[in-house]
Amino acid sequence: MEKFSPFAGVVCPLDRANVDTDAIIPKQFLKSIKRSGFGPNLFDEWRYLDHGEPGMDNSKRHTNPDFVLNDARYRGASILLARENFGCGSSREHAPWALADYGFRVIIAPGYADIFYNNCFKNSILPVVLDAEIVDGLFNKAGDDTALHIDVDLEQQQLRVGDEVIGFEVDPFRKHCLLEGLDDIGLTLQHVDAIDAYEERRRRQTPWLFA
Amino acid sequence: MQAKTLYDKLWEDHVVRTDEDGTALLYIDRQLVHEVTSPQAFEGLRLAGRKPRRVDANLATPDHNVPTKNLDQGISDPVSRLQVETLGENCDEFGITEFGMGDIRQGIVHVIGPEQGAVLPGMTVVCGDSHTSTHGALGTLAFGIGTSEVEHVLATQCLIQKKSKSMLIEVVGKASPSVTAKDIILAIIGEIGTAGGTGYAIEFGGSAIRDLSVEGRMTLCNMAIEAGARAGFIAVDEKTIDYVKGRPYAPSADQWRQAADYWKTLHSDDGATFDKVVRIDAAALVPQVTWGTSPEMVVGIDASVPDPDIIDDAVRADGMRRALEYMGLEANTPINAIQLDKIFIGSCTNSRIEDLRAAAEVVKDHSVADSITLAMVVPGSGLVKQQAEEEGLDAVFLEAGFEWREPGCSMCLAMNADRLEAGERCASTSNRNFEGRQGQGGRTHLVSPAMAAAAAIYGHFVDVREL
Ligand code: SF4
């Protein structure tokens, strides 16, 4: 995984609560057996006026001018600003794959659904949790004529918005993995002795689980 | 000894090691695998030159993409077909048991796991699918994971986890006979909201939960994820143990007693404390119908579509207006005046034999209303279908004008050919009423099997208590 280093990005404000993973990447695109290439279909049903199917040439489709991703101000955005319970619904990791493929590296919201939150960290996306009032304030700024830029520093756990510094919490283990670009499987395999010992004990205690 | 919750017990029994900050390596007893969320995981294994740690702990079946009719013609959509074939090839390559298309045991992962006894009380169960919470009905710690985690479990048989907070939802009193597990869980989600369970593992308890059959408990736990919970589960009792007995993967004679003795300890101890407790009175519940685009947008059949104009919270009112517009509904419309176009009885929430029996009982000697363009029943597995046919349920449905289909996820998420067209309105026994879930522009109302069956006959929602 890529190491998560400090960067400055444009904020795209998606002003809806309970955005579910079906909306982030509709089911027809889940038929792919690859991990990449989902970006052009991120938020497909909101982003385009016609119905999207895998394999279509998206440059020829009718885009929805009212959807934020199509607003010229937010072109090249790498920070997604969202409302409560972002990423609810289906466990599909295609949702963070699509967000990352599009270029989003940070999401800011008052809260996330559990599985989605987990999935973000596996894909070098940092989901930042901030109080609803702070998020509200950011929405006000992000709606201005000129796009809002935020500096993201995970090491310091800080967002810098102009002169303002906003701190955020993040689990130390997950922070470490993001900063170092560590692969979970490799980390876990360092404990293979502990797994062996556990299995041996369970084989005795609950033999029916090893039939 | 300190009183423990069921969650404490399940957790502690599976911790391989814990870091100082509480990050634990949790051992996984069973992984269920389907075609949509696994290809990239197998690909990851291959690229890293890794092998599954325990092939016997995995069980696979295709469900999301499989067609529900003309199975002999295979899958016509080449992209769907490739995904299903890829699952088969991956299982062959790595030696994982798969119930493929055409196998009588094939079906929706969350139906076949318990049906086979592949899910047993006390297990940790995962699947690359959010509705893995279903299996908590058997007293397991079961939760959905992403594809990277599927690969992690394949390679290590473990997951990196932090313990959630614990919540007890106690459903006390006795529910009226026509109030089903589906109505109870919809009412709970209406009460606590779709983010109400975020960060929690939920234990469902109370007399109304103990009264439920094991299949009803699966319906309930299935939708714990719609309340945002990491997992939902129910203590083991005699019903659980009876349910498991004799299933193909269940322990046999010599180990049965040892297993059953252990399973009987799988309940929260008296005096165990929870981070949060919610109490619901079952006697006050009525059959539920969702009116919006989130499962929390739900009311009783005797109510009307709510009015956003009287809601103070601006974000919420805005969400309601958007939902009403998408659903093509006016505020204050009585629920029983809502006319339907299609009826879907199926999904991992409500496609087991008891669900089909409940629907058939309502349908018997009636016909589907002329205004309904399609009413379909999709059994959860080949074995459920076979059982239903032995009981003559297929004949009841067919005579009434329903279609009787082959097992799979079908119109729960419309990845195969079964879907709603834009603007079509459906009474569905599935679990999600999100925008576009059953087809772009389609409008979903979540209900119990009996309520869906009654809506098929009348063409609009009716109160099953009055039939
Ligand atoms: S039936 Fe629906 S909810 Fe259940 S696994 Fe299939 S698609 Fe998911």
Side-chain angles (χ1 to χ4, degrees), chain B residues 77-279:
Chain B
D77 174 1
V79 196
S80 284
R81 190 170 61 232
L82 176 65
Q83 202 166 51
V84 170
E85 285 170 0
T86 303
L87 177 67
E89 285 162 13
N90 283 326
C91 288
D92 285 349
E93 179 184 336
F94 291 104
I96 289 170
T97 304
E98 186 207 11
F99 299 156
M101 272 174 68
D103 188 319
I104 184 91
R105 299 167 297 179
Q106 178 269 333
I108 306 172
V109 267
H110 308 310
V111 174
I112 71 160
E115 183 175 82
Q116 290 294 322
V119 171
L120 296 169
M123 277 182 164
T124 41
V125 182
V126 297
C127 175
D129 194 284
S130 56
H131 292 100
T132 311
S133 59
T134 309
H135 309 281
L138 293 167
T140 68
L141 178 57
F143 50 92
I145 56 177
T147 298
S148 296
E149 291 175 310
V150 172
E151 183 183 342
H152 193 280
V153 173
L154 283 167
T156 70
Q157 210 53 46
C158 293
L159 274 178
I160 300 170
Q161 291 282 301
K162 263 201 169 160
K163 202 172 173 189
S164 306
K165 290 178 286 182
S166 64
M167 187 188 301
L168 173 65
I169 297 186
E170 219 175 1
V171 190
V172 296
K174 207 168 173 56
S176 117
S178 23
V179 169
T180 65
K182 182 65 163 284
D183 303 301
I184 295 176
I185 188 63
L186 284 172
I188 288 172
I189 296 166
E191 172 90 21
I192 69 172
T194 45
T198 304
Y200 288 94
I202 299 180
E203 177 173 349
F204 298 100
S207 53
I209 304 299
R210 283 193 297 277
D211 286 347
L212 291 174
S213 68
V214 172
E215 291 194 0
R217 295 172 187 182
M218 290 185 210
T219 301
L220 191 92
C221 291
N222 175 271
M223 290 190 71
I225 182 69
E226 305 313 330
R230 184 91 184 115
F233 36 77
I234 295 173
V236 173
D237 62 8
E238 284 302 326
K239 283 187 199 172
T240 328
I241 296 175
D242 286 348
Y243 176 90
V244 171
K245 197 163 193 171
R247 296 191 179 265
Y249 285 76
S252 52
D254 51 332
Q255 286 170 358
W256 175 261
R257 187 168 299 276
Q258 189 188 357
D261 284 346
Y262 166 63
W263 295 340
K264 283 176 193 152
T265 67
L266 297 174
H267 53 77
S268 290
D269 298 330
D270 288 339
T273 53
F274 294 83
D275 296 307
K276 187 169 180 180
V277 177
V278 175
R279 245 178 220 102

Side-chain angles (χ1 to χ4, degrees), chain B residues 9-36:
Chain B
K9 295 180 185 181
L10 292 170
W11 179 268
E12 286 166 17
D13 277 350
H14 290 90
V15 170
V16 172
R17 67 183 296 279
T18 312
D19 278 342
E20 295 113 63
D21 73 345
T23 306
L25 203 56
L26 199 69
Y27 193 81
I28 302 303
D29 295 314
R30 172 69 69 198
Q31 173 155 256
L32 300 166
V33 180
H34 67 72
E35 79 277 20
V36 180

Side-chain angles (χ1 to χ4, degrees), chain B residues 63-64 108-110 129 131 222 347-348 409 412-413 431 437:
Chain B
D63 53 7
H64 286 62
I108 306 172
V109 267
H110 308 310
D129 194 284
H131 292 100
N222 175 271
S347 89
C348 57
C409 294
C412 172
L413 94 164
N431 44 42
R437 172 76 178 181

Side-chain angles (χ1 to χ4, degrees), chain A residues 15-18 20-23 26-36 38 44-46 48-54 61 83-85 88-94 97 111-116 118-119 122-123 136 171-174 177 183-189 191-199 201-211, chain B residues 13-17 19 21 23 25 27 29 36-37 39-41 44 50 53-54 56 65 77 79-80 82-83 86 120-123 127-130 144-149 151-152 155-158 160-162 164 194-195 198-199 225-226 228-230 251 255 258-259 262-263 294 296 315 318 322 413-415 419 432 434-441:
Chain A
D15 197 357
R16 296 187 184 215
N18 298 313
D20 58 78
T21 53
D22 284 68
K27 69 211 124 217
Q28 61 271 31
F29 304 106
L30 271 52
K31 295 177 182 180
S32 165
I33 55 173
K34 299 205 218 86
R35 249 174 219 268
S36 55
F38 295 101
D44 198 274
E45 290 183 4
W46 293 341
Y48 302 97
L49 293 169
D50 51 356
H51 177 77
E53 284 292 333
R61 293 175 61 197
R83 296 281 185 188
E84 192 55 67
N85 201 26
C88 60
S90 149
S91 64
R92 60 189 69 163
E93 197 162 318
H94 312 66
W97 293 338
Y112 303 85
D114 214 30
I115 304 177
F116 175 81
N118 267 319
N119 282 341
K122 318 274 181 216
N123 293 283
D136 227 27
D171 177 87
F173 174 70
R174 285 174 157 150
C177 292
D183 154 33
D184 278 0
I185 296 181
L187 280 175
T188 297
L189 288 175
H191 303 296
V192 74
D193 290 348
I195 304 173
D196 286 343
Y198 174 90
E199 270 181 359
R201 177 158 57 83
R202 290 288 277 181
R203 250 178 227 283
R204 272 179 277 119
Q205 290 171 340
T206 56
W208 62 90
L209 295 178
F210 295 83
Chain B
D13 277 350
H14 290 90
V15 170
V16 172
R17 67 183 296 279
D19 278 342
D21 73 345
T23 306
L25 203 56
Y27 193 81
D29 295 314
V36 180
T37 54
Q40 297 87 351
R50 290 175 176 138
R53 184 176 168 92
R54 272 185 63 194
D56 64 306
N65 282 283
D77 174 1
V79 196
S80 284
L82 176 65
Q83 202 166 51
T86 303
L120 296 169
M123 277 182 164
C127 175
D129 194 284
S130 56
I145 56 177
T147 298
S148 296
E149 291 175 310
E151 183 183 342
H152 193 280
T156 70
Q157 210 53 46
C158 293
I160 300 170
Q161 291 282 301
K162 263 201 169 160
S164 306
T194 45
T198 304
I225 182 69
E226 305 313 330
R230 184 91 184 115
Q255 286 170 358
Q258 189 188 357
Y262 166 63
W263 295 340
S294 160
E296 70 186 15
V315 176
D318 191 42
R322 210 192 292 266
L413 94 164
M415 260 183 97
R419 68 186 58 175
R432 283 191 179 136
F434 298 158
E435 285 185 21
R437 172 76 178 181
Q438 293 192 290
Q440 192 171 16

